[in-house]
């Protein structure tokens, strides 16, 4: 056990396209150094994923959002894909605060 007291840390779920792996890593590091617990999807090495597995992984990520205090959208250049839009809608419906690494296009939340 550490002798450094830490209050209950904020839990942040990262969402966005996994094509931005370096940006995800930078956000994970930044938030960890702010003493947050970071939840994020994991890139898989499988070249082609079964469609049922893809759906299950999407649902798994929604459970990460359920656990989070905040949802952070990793969106370089303002890019937000279809899966991320679904996650944003889910987070909004769940009342989760949403922040963005880059300003989203007009009309996104």
């Amino acid at each position: 056990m550490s002798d450094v007291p830490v209050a209950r840390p904020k839990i942040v779920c990262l969402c966005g396209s996994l094509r931005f792996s370096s940006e995800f890593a930078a956000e994970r590091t930044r938030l960890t150094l702010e003493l947050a617990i970071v939840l994020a999807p994991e890139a898989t090495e499988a070249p082609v994923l079964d469609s049922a597995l893809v759906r299950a992984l999407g649902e798994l990520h929604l459970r990460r959002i359920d656990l989070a205090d905040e949802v952070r959208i990793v969106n370089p250049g303002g890019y937000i894909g279809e899966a991320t839009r679904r996650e944003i809608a889910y987070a909004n419906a769940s009342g989760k605060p949403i922040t963005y690494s880059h300003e989203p296009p007009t009309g996104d939340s």
Side-chain angles (χ1 to χ4, degrees):
M1 291 293 289
S2 170
D3 60 351
V4 177
V6 176
R8 182 200 178 273
K10 175 171 60 171
I11 301 171
V12 180
C13 180
L14 298 181
C15 296
S17 174
L18 290 177
R19 75 179 78 173
F20 303 123
S21 61
S22 62
E23 289 86 351
F24 265 86
E27 278 298 293
R28 185 180 290 113
T29 298
R30 183 185 69 76
L31 290 164
T32 297
L33 292 174
E34 290 180 3
L35 302 179
I37 294 172
V38 181
L39 305 174
E42 295 296 326
T44 59
E45 299 298 321
V48 177
L49 297 176
D50 174 85
S51 63
L53 179 57
V54 169
R55 286 191 307 277
L57 290 171
E59 287 300 311
L60 178 64
H61 194 59
L62 297 181
R63 300 300 73 80
R64 289 184 187 105
I65 292 171
D66 289 340
L67 295 170
D69 299 314
E70 174 187 327
V71 174
R72 176 82 170 161
I73 309 301
V74 178
N75 64 323
Y79 176 80
I80 298 174
E82 182 180 331
T84 304
R85 288 180 193 285
R86 181 175 77 100
E87 294 159 0
I88 291 168
Y90 184 83
N92 273 327
S94 301
K96 303 288 179 169
I98 301 171
T99 59
Y100 295 83
S101 63
H102 294 79
E103 191 62 35
T106 305
D108 285 335
S109 47

